[in-house]
């Protein structure tokens, strides 16, 4: 059991949870993830590790409230527990001195950027952070990232905060001012796809972190398979980061929709039970 | 005279009933039936059946105890060499092992050794549990076991009995490996696996779940933490695919994923359990092994109208156990034999809607000794399906080998280990089960776990590698 130390909503649909996981806190490296299970009946949910405090034995997770499990997470309080946390999993980000690194995050993808930004700076890179969201209410971690990046550009699709621009446009603007040696992009698939296409034209190496549907996280089930450079790769053990210029994003996008109708059933069922139990009324 | 008693059959759930539930299919022997079957054993002085058992159970010994109604003695005899009798009584291929060698088989039917083993184990669990045994840590040495499948559990039990401090590291949230993620509830109820694992933890075996050795920690790091020896039993957990177009369409599963969703995650009870699973109406399973049968029968229980096993050779070449094929046939699985898939076909949303197959005929025997399938030109046809389950085998899980370059591997990715001692090329590290043999059976993995335990004891006693 893993005790929850803190759990709060930090934007309209993103929660931040600090939870005890001493082993993960000690072992994890930037770019790695965990798989959690809330309770005995829970599904296995992969989430990137956003931060860790080895002295306290805790890790920080960010989750976007989209389906049943994340809604359930959002109702948990400090003192409650998660049943299982497995990890750290996946290959860490390849941290070394590249020169200038642009770390681009969209939506919930901003959270897993945090440890990468820190590690890239520590390795001697100049790090420009670009973060974006649909609107001001959905932006997260601007202050935290601003504190560790050399420069931060914030944009929203509707212009309600920062630049009114997509992250692709913001990156183009940064590129017009300085040479970028590496792009790390994490966010919704359409964003990573658009960004990768843009940087491919400019010949800038681009790493993306994929969020495929996954169960075991050890390469056993094959559910997280993606096509990279025409080859089958497993996101859990071969990734989660891949060369963005080689990922078949269209296929990934389609596969992410596999359980759309089941997700709705599950979520509706949860709503119903919660109403019966009055979970939402308490909040 | 004994041959006059016919081989006793277990009663089973009727096919029409059982396809609607996940309860176990064979119901086990009653006490009377078990005694009757036990009487058929002629108690050979030199029992050939024992030679056929990878863990060398004293088969005539435990059968004699059943005949004399000494059920506790029976299970004790079995447990001296087999720590998972309730599992083996259910999933071992006895027909090619102990029962194959039974002398009665020459003239009559062999003794139902597997069913009797199951009876003894079930009797112990349900009616007369053995008292908890404690094993003092006399050796003062720690041993790490990687993976809690049949190989790891067996090695753990043996080593604990010898007085070692044993820790099992398991990657998933439940112990049991393939016994919990792979084999369905209707063939091996999960409560039985849990019972056998509880016996080990009662003995003092430590179980660390959610620990993926090879990613979060290397074998060297484990040895640095004061473990005197490591046993790797990480299994054959890397699904093979057909490598044909359309294999990444929505609705194409590897059998591992399909079964893990259904078994480990209990997706058959969705939405009570959170994990979803695609419930196909027209399902095709590709392959002819036990895992293919398990997948097909699971699909039927999840409400499919039609489930086909598509296999490129004929029924005679199928690697699945006869009992599994028989159960699948009884339940109405369609056998699409001598057929090979060429490509999957998707609709505009990328969802699977069909598969193009080609008829085959049998040619000359291949390297496996089985007649090889040869395509018949112009015989292509399309099966309308909305769910495909690829069940053509597993390769060894590669994650430990990737991070432990000191451990020699074969071209196929299996770990190289001495067949008698299970020693790897790295001092203090042993390996066994599917990670060494490639995908095989539960009992062979257990046999390897047992050999390794004996060799680990010898190594730690003598210090000789």
């Amino acid at each position: 059991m893993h005790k929850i130390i803190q759990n709060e909503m930090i934007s309209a649909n993103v929660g931040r949870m600090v939870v005890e996981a001493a082993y993960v806190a000690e072992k994890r490296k930037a770019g790695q993830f965990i798989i959690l299970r809330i309770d005995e009946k829970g599904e296995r949910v992969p989430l990137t590790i956003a931060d860790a405090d080895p002295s306290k034995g805790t890790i920080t997770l960010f989750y976007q409230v989209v389906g049943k499990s994340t809604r359930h997470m959002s109702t948990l309080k400090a003192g409650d527990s998660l049943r299982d946390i497995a990890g750290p999993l996946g290959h860490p980000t390849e941290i070394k001195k590249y020169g200038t690194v642009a770390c681009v995050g969209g939506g919930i993808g901003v959270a897993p950027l945090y440890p990468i930004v820190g590690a890239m700076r520590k390795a001697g890179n100049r790090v420009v952070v670009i973060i974006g969201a649909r609107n001001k209410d959905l932006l997260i971690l601007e202050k935290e990232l601003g504190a560790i990046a050399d420069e931060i550009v914030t944009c929203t699709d509707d212009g309600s905060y920062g630049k009114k621009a997509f992250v692709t446009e913001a990156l183009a603007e940064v590129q017009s001012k300085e040479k970028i040696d590496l792009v790390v992009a994490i966010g919704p698939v359409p964003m990573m796809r658009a960004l990768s296409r843009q940087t491919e034209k400019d010949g800038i190496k681009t790493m993306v972190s994929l969020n495929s549907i996954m169960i075991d996280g050890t390469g056993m089930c094959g559910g997280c398979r993606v096509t990279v450079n025409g080859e089958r790769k497993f996101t859990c053990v071969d990734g989660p980061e891949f060369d963005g210029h080689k990922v078949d994003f269209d296929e990934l996008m389609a596969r992410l929709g596999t359980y759309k109708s089941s997700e709705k059933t599950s979520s509706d069922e949860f709503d119903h039970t919660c109403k019966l139990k009055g979970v939402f009324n308490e909040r | 005279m004994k041959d006059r008693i016919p081989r006793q059959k277990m009663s089973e759930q009727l096919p029409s009933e059982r396809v609607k539930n996940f309860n176990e299919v064979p119901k086990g022997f009653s006490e009377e039936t078990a005694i009757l079957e036990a009487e058929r054993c002629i108690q050979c002085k030199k029992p050939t059946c024992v030679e056929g058992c990878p863990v060398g159970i004293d088969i005539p010994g435990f059968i004699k105890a059943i005949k004399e109604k000494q059920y506790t003695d029976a299970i004790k005899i079995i447990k001296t060499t087999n720590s998972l009798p309730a599992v083996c009584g259910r999933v071992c291929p006895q027909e090619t092992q102990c029962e194959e060698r039974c002398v009665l088989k020459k003239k009559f039917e062999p003794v139902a050794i597997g069913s009797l083993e199951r009876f003894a184990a079930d009797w112990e669990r349900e009616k007369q549990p053995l008292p908890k045994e404690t094993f003092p840590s006399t050796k003062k040495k720690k041993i790490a076991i990687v993976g809690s499948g049949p190989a790891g559990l067996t090695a753990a039990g043996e080593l604990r009995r010898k007085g070692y401090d044993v820790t099992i590291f398991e990657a998933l949230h439940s112990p049991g490996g393939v016994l919990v993620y792979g084999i369905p509830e209707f063939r091996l109820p999960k409560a039985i696996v849990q019972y056998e694992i509880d016996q080990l933890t009662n003995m003092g075996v430590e179980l660390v779940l959610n620990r993926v050795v090879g990613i979060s920690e290397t074998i060297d790091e484990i040895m640095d933490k004061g473990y005197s020896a490591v046993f790797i039993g990480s299994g054959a957990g890397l699904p093979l695919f057909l490598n044909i177009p359309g294999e990444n369409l929505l609705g194409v599963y590897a059998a591992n994923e399909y079964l893990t969703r259904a078994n480990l995650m209990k997706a058959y009870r969705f939405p009570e359990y959170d994990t979803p699973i695609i419930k196909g109406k027209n399902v095709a399973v590709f392959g002819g092994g036990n895992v293919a049968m398990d997948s097909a029968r699971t699909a039927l229980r999840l409400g499919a109208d039609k489930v086909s096993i598509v296999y490129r050779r004929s029924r005679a070449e199928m690697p699945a156990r006869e009992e599994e094929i028989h159960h699948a046939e009884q339940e109405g699985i369609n056998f699409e034999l001598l057929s090979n898939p060429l490509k999957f076909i998707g609709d505009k949303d990328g969802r699977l809607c069909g598969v193009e197959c080609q008829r085959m005929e049998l040619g000359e025997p291949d390297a496996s000794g089985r007649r090889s399938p040869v395509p018949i030109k112009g015989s292509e046809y399309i099966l309308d399906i909305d769910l495909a389950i690829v069940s053509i085998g597993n390769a060894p899980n590669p994650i430990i080998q990737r991070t432990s370059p000191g451990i020699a591997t074969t071209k196929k990715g299996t770990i190289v280990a001495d067949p008698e001692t299970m020693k790897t090329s790295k001092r203090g590290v042993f390996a066994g089960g599917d990670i060494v043999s490639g995908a095989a059976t539960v009992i062979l993995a257990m046999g390897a776990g047992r050999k390794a335990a004996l060799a680990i004891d010898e190594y730690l006693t003598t210090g000789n590698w």
Side-chain angles (χ1 to χ4, degrees):
Chain A
M1 297 294 260
H2 300 267
K3 202 167 117 194
I4 296 168
I5 305 301
Q6 203 184 342
N7 189 26
E8 59 188 352
M9 295 302 290
I10 58 158
S11 83
N13 65 351
V14 172
R16 173 181 179 273
M17 182 181 279
V18 180
V19 59
E20 283 180 353
Y23 180 81
V24 181
E26 179 203 325
K27 296 280 181 186
R28 68 98 204 193
K29 295 191 180 103
Q32 289 188 300
F33 65 96
I34 54 105
I35 290 182
L36 66 82
R37 219 165 55 117
I38 301 174
D39 57 28
E40 187 51 44
K41 294 182 178 177
E43 59 186 333
R44 293 173 63 95
V45 183
L47 287 174
T48 309
I49 305 158
D51 204 359
D53 185 339
S55 66
K56 290 188 182 136
T58 60
I59 57 170
T60 304
L61 305 169
F62 288 82
Y63 55 94
Q64 185 167 3
V65 180
V66 281
K68 185 204 161 170
S69 296
T70 43
R71 294 177 77 158
H72 190 175
M73 279 178 79
S74 72
T75 66
L76 299 173
K77 298 178 179 65
D80 291 343
S81 293
L82 299 179
R83 189 180 168 97
D84 297 291
I85 294 180
L89 297 166
H91 286 294
T93 308
E94 197 182 341
I95 302 291
K96 60 178 189 187
K97 187 158 180 192
Y98 296 90
T100 302
V101 179
C103 291
V104 188
I108 185 73
V110 171
L113 268 188
Y114 182 79
I116 299 173
V117 171
M120 285 294 186
R121 277 219 59 188
K122 215 172 155 190
N125 295 289
R126 170 175 156 78
V127 180
V128 181
V129 170
I130 300 168
I131 59 171
R134 284 206 310 279
N135 60 52
K136 186 186 173 193
D137 295 339
L138 300 174
L139 260 182
I140 56 167
L141 293 176
E142 188 200 14
K143 208 174 84 192
E144 290 83 349
L145 281 164
I148 58 170
D150 290 285
E151 194 183 327
I152 185 163
V153 181
T154 308
C155 42
T156 52
D157 298 358
D158 67 355
S160 54
Y161 187 83
K163 271 182 204 302
K164 181 181 188 303
F166 293 122
V167 289
T168 40
E169 296 162 333
L171 178 68
E173 202 179 315
V174 172
Q175 274 178 257
S176 70
K177 286 183 271 182
E178 61 183 310
K179 180 176 167 284
I180 304 291
D181 300 291
L182 175 77
V183 173
V184 180
I186 311 179
V189 177
M191 178 209 109
M192 292 192 287
R193 177 174 55 196
L195 206 78
S196 296
R197 282 179 187 163
Q198 178 175 319
T199 57
E200 192 172 11
K201 277 182 217 143
D202 304 328
I204 306 172
K205 185 181 174 186
T206 299
M207 296 305 291
V208 293
S209 179
L210 307 185
N211 57 339
S212 318
I213 293 172
M214 199 176 276
I215 309 178
D216 60 290
T218 67
M220 185 271 284
C221 84
C224 66
R225 61 192 188 272
V226 287
T227 304
V228 181
N229 207 16
E231 286 175 41
R232 178 173 50 246
K233 295 283 177 191
F234 293 161
T235 304
C236 65
V237 291
D238 299 323
E241 292 179 9
F242 293 102
D243 180 342
H245 300 157
K246 296 183 173 150
V247 172
D248 184 340
F249 287 107
D250 296 339
E251 180 185 272
L252 173 66
M253 188 80 182
R255 287 183 64 79
L256 285 171
T258 305
Y259 300 100
K260 245 178 210 158
S261 65
S262 299
E263 278 160 13
K264 187 170 179 335
T265 308
S266 199
S267 204
D268 289 352
E269 174 95 0
F270 182 68
D271 269 3
H272 181 66
T273 325
C274 286
K275 271 178 199 147
L276 290 178
K277 289 185 190 159
V279 172
F280 284 127
N281 299 343
E282 287 169 23
R283 297 179 67 219
Chain B
M1 282 297 137
K2 302 197 179 196
D3 50 48
R4 289 203 185 152
I5 306 170
R7 178 175 159 116
Q8 300 297 300
K9 287 197 167 68
M10 266 188 215
S11 67
E12 294 179 345
Q13 278 200 76
L14 290 175
S16 57
E17 278 303 310
R18 71 192 191 219
V19 296
K20 294 177 209 153
N21 65 55
F22 276 81
N23 300 335
E24 199 174 7
V25 170
K27 294 177 180 173
F29 275 166
S30 66
E31 191 180 357
E32 295 73 28
T33 320
I35 294 170
L36 211 55
E37 183 63 31
E39 281 178 8
R40 294 183 66 232
C41 173
I42 58 170
Q43 296 289 318
C44 301
K45 288 253 157 48
K46 285 183 184 165
T48 44
C49 53
V50 179
E51 293 165 16
C53 175
V55 295
I57 295 175
D58 173 8
I59 294 168
F62 94 78
I63 293 183
K64 183 161 179 279
I66 291 180
K67 193 170 95 181
E68 293 164 356
K69 298 194 185 184
Q70 300 301 313
Y71 307 127
T72 299
D73 290 349
I75 195 66
K76 276 186 184 164
I77 292 169
I78 298 173
K79 285 200 171 179
T80 5
T81 56
N82 181 349
S83 46
L84 308 169
V87 173
C88 291
R90 287 169 166 81
V91 304
C92 259
Q94 290 98 7
E95 64 280 3
T96 60
Q97 297 179 157
C98 52
E99 294 182 15
E100 160 95 323
R101 318 254 184 127
C102 175
V103 294
L104 288 189
K105 192 176 179 252
K106 288 176 190 154
K107 276 191 165 180
F108 311 101
E109 283 197 274
V111 174
I113 301 168
S115 305
L116 288 171
E117 181 184 28
R118 170 178 165 172
F119 170 79
D122 289 356
W123 187 276
E124 187 262 338
R125 190 180 65 256
E126 289 164 5
K127 302 214 162 84
Q128 276 180 315
L130 291 173
K132 273 189 196 177
E133 285 181 285
T134 47
F135 295 91
S137 302
T138 51
K139 297 289 202 315
K140 307 287 173 208
K141 278 181 181 155
K142 296 202 298 176
I143 297 167
I145 310 268
V146 182
S148 67
L153 292 177
T154 303
E158 296 282 340
L159 290 163
R160 183 64 198 145
R161 280 173 204 278
K162 292 181 194 300
Y164 291 99
D165 291 314
V166 180
T167 307
I168 304 181
F169 296 105
E170 166 55 46
L172 294 171
H173 58 258
S174 284
V178 73
L179 305 176
V180 295
Y181 75 71
I183 304 178
E185 183 76 16
F186 54 83
R187 218 150 64 78
L188 180 63
K190 301 302 153 248
I192 289 172
V193 180
Q194 190 57 51
Y195 180 83
E196 308 235 38
I197 289 163
D198 287 345
Q199 309 265 47
L200 290 178
T201 47
N202 285 340
M203 280 164 60
V205 170
E206 191 196 359
L207 196 54
V208 179
L209 301 174
N210 296 314
R211 183 67 58 87
V212 189
V213 174
I215 297 182
S216 61
E217 224 164 346
T218 63
I219 297 292
D220 280 334
E221 284 171 312
I222 288 181
M223 298 195 81
D224 288 345
K225 282 187 178 169
Y227 289 94
S228 309
V230 179
F231 174 75
I232 303 170
S234 50
L238 183 78
L240 298 175
F241 285 88
L242 292 159
N243 294 319
I244 59 173
E247 208 160 15
N248 292 344
L249 289 167
L250 315 193
V252 183
Y253 279 126
N256 278 7
E257 180 179 6
Y258 187 67
L259 291 174
T260 300
R261 285 181 180 273
N263 301 328
L264 178 72
M265 306 309 296
K266 296 197 163 51
Y268 66 92
R269 286 164 71 178
F270 178 87
E272 181 201 349
Y273 281 75
D274 291 345
T275 305
I277 192 164
I278 299 173
K279 294 183 179 180
K281 283 290 160 200
N282 289 298
V283 183
V285 179
F286 300 90
N290 290 326
V291 176
M293 302 302 144
D294 285 348
S295 302
R297 296 171 69 197
T298 298
L300 209 57
R301 283 159 175 77
L302 283 170
D305 293 333
K306 186 182 178 192
V307 182
S308 303
I309 297 249
V310 180
Y311 182 56
R312 60 199 183 119
R313 307 181 201 234
S314 77
R315 191 185 187 285
E317 287 82 26
M318 278 197 166
R321 286 182 72 191
E322 177 55 36
E323 182 185 331
E324 305 309 327
I325 300 173
H326 172 66
H327 277 146
E329 284 174 338
Q330 273 188 327
E331 291 172 8
I333 303 286
N334 170 49
F335 283 72
E336 194 80 12
L337 300 171
L338 291 164
S339 175
N340 198 38
L342 297 176
K343 67 171 179 193
F344 291 109
I345 303 160
D347 66 13
K348 61 176 174 31
D349 301 320
R351 279 191 189 271
L352 177 74
C353 61
V355 59
E356 186 181 328
C357 296
Q358 185 174 32
R359 299 279 177 206
M360 312 291 274
E361 59 190 352
L362 290 181
E364 295 302 308
D366 64 11
S368 73
R370 297 176 298 176
R371 292 182 66 189
S372 60
V374 183
I376 302 174
K377 272 186 191 159
S379 67
E380 294 83 0
Y381 67 104
I382 288 173
L383 274 179
D384 290 333
I385 52 168
D386 56 357
L387 177 62
I389 302 162
V390 178
S391 177
I392 55 166
N394 279 287
N397 193 305
I399 59 183
I400 289 177
Q401 297 88 308
R402 279 186 193 173
T403 50
S404 291
I407 299 174
T409 54
T410 65
K411 268 185 203 157
K412 286 179 181 170
T414 51
I415 292 179
V416 178
D418 180 280
E420 287 314 310
T421 63
M422 312 318 290
K423 283 178 182 170
T424 68
S425 61
K426 190 178 174 70
R427 192 183 173 92
V429 180
F430 300 73
D434 285 1
I435 193 66
V436 171
S437 61
T441 60
V442 168
I443 189 70
L444 285 173
M446 291 176 60
R450 193 173 146 72
K451 279 184 195 169
L454 298 174
I456 289 171
D457 183 41
E458 195 192 315
Y459 164 63
L460 294 181
T461 308
T462 63
N464 299 331
W465 182 251

